[in-house]
Amino acid sequence: DAKTTQPTSMDCAEGRAANLPCNHSTISGNEYVYWYRQIHSQGPQYIIHGLKNNETNEMASLIITEDRKSSTLILPHATLRDTAVYYCIVIGGKNSGYALNFGKGTSLLVTP
Amino acid sequence: DTGVSQNPRHKITKRGQNVTFRCDPISEHNRLYWYRQTLGQGPEFLTYFQNEAQLEKSRLLSDRFSAERPKGSFSTLEIQRTEQGDSAMYLCASKIDPGAEAFFGQGTRLTVV
């Protein structure tokens, strides 16, 4: 699976958009980009995933660059409850089990 | 369906003792995964099942660890002769097919004293 690089931490003011970047320059053509988050003392929670096109759901938007070497997760109106560790994960292709390689993620702090 | 259920939520054990954790996945989810998470780190993959078959094991899964999923339903993770380094959160996840989202339980926090 392709390795991802994320900033260690970010801050965002409540009500503003939170833009979380992820670099995955070695991604293969059949690998997906997944985002999960983990709120303190809870299990990880799925947010969104995509292959090539930008995706949007009720939680967030995922913007994938045309060369697919990087992506951005956008939380359009961050709330205090969005404070969590956000993981960008690339999986698929030859990975038979689709096990998730979480890395260390980005710790997002949403402030009042 | 209430999601992925893990029991117990917390376990304190003495070094050298055996412990067993249970995971009840979401009904009809044929894939089940175990992860371990230590403080400040992201979850690390341990093993996964497709139905009752254990198809992949991480190098993290030493000989003291064993996992089962009888009849492709619930799963158990046993650690024999626990060591202090086994102290961690053990997470279970399930999904219905390879490309779908994984649903995680709340985890079992193990403390070895």
Side-chain angles (χ1 to χ4, degrees):
Chain A
D1 291 337
K3 181 180 177 179
T4 61
T5 304
Q6 300 178 253
T8 302
S9 63
M10 295 182 64
D11 293 344
C12 178
E14 188 178 20
R16 303 299 292 268
N19 298 284
L20 290 87
C22 179
N23 286 322
H24 32 78
S25 58
T26 60
I27 192 170
S28 299
N30 56 356
E31 289 181 317
Y32 286 79
V33 179
Y34 276 72
W35 283 83
Y36 282 77
R37 73 179 182 184
Q38 188 173 25
I39 296 170
H40 183 61
S41 296
Q42 296 185 21
Q45 176 191 23
Y46 166 83
I47 302 173
I48 198 167
H49 75 281
L51 182 64
K52 296 181 184 178
N53 301 322
N54 298 337
E55 302 287 345
T56 295
N57 63 21
E58 65 278 4
M59 289 183 67
S61 294
L62 174 61
I63 308 299
I64 302 174
T65 58
E66 191 169 345
D67 63 8
R68 302 209 325 124
K69 293 185 177 182
S70 66
S71 60
T72 301
L73 178 74
I74 300 173
L75 307 178
H77 306 287
T79 71
L80 299 179
R81 288 175 294 181
D82 292 323
T83 291
V85 178
Y86 288 76
Y87 297 98
C88 170
I89 303 165
V90 172
I91 60 173
K94 296 181 180 179
N95 184 331
S96 61
Y98 286 76
L100 301 169
N101 182 6
F102 281 86
K104 293 191 175 182
T106 296
S107 180
L108 175 68
L109 176 64
V110 181
T111 56
Chain B
D1 197 336
T2 56
V4 178
S5 176
Q6 291 189 247
N7 288 288
R9 292 292 310 278
H10 303 274
K11 178 71 175 179
I12 299 175
T13 190
K14 291 184 178 180
R15 190 173 49 189
Q17 297 295 304
N18 299 343
V19 294
T20 300
F21 312 138
R22 176 177 171 125
C23 171
D24 287 273
I26 294 173
S27 301
E28 301 179 354
H29 279 196
N30 61 340
R31 292 184 176 234
L32 185 147
Y33 301 78
W34 285 98
Y35 291 82
R36 181 177 73 183
Q37 186 173 25
T38 53
L39 198 62
Q41 304 295 316
E44 298 171 294
F45 168 72
L46 292 178
T47 189
Y48 103 93
F49 291 84
Q50 183 169 327
N51 300 311
E52 67 276 9
Q54 187 174 17
L55 296 186
E56 190 173 348
K57 293 193 283 189
S58 160
R59 285 172 292 180
L60 293 175
L61 211 66
S62 75
D63 292 344
R64 297 184 296 105
F65 287 68
S66 63
E68 294 183 343
R69 191 183 183 197
K71 302 180 182 178
S73 56
F74 70 93
S75 176
T76 58
L77 178 67
E78 180 183 16
I79 308 175
Q80 296 182 327
R81 305 181 302 281
T82 52
E83 302 172 356
Q84 286 189 321
D86 297 331
S87 295
M89 174 76 83
Y90 290 84
L91 293 159
C92 176
S94 70
K95 59 165 55 177
I96 197 164
D97 66 36
E101 63 187 273
F103 292 83
F104 282 80
Q106 296 281 54
T108 294
R109 180 167 296 283
L110 173 66
T111 303
V112 181
V113 297

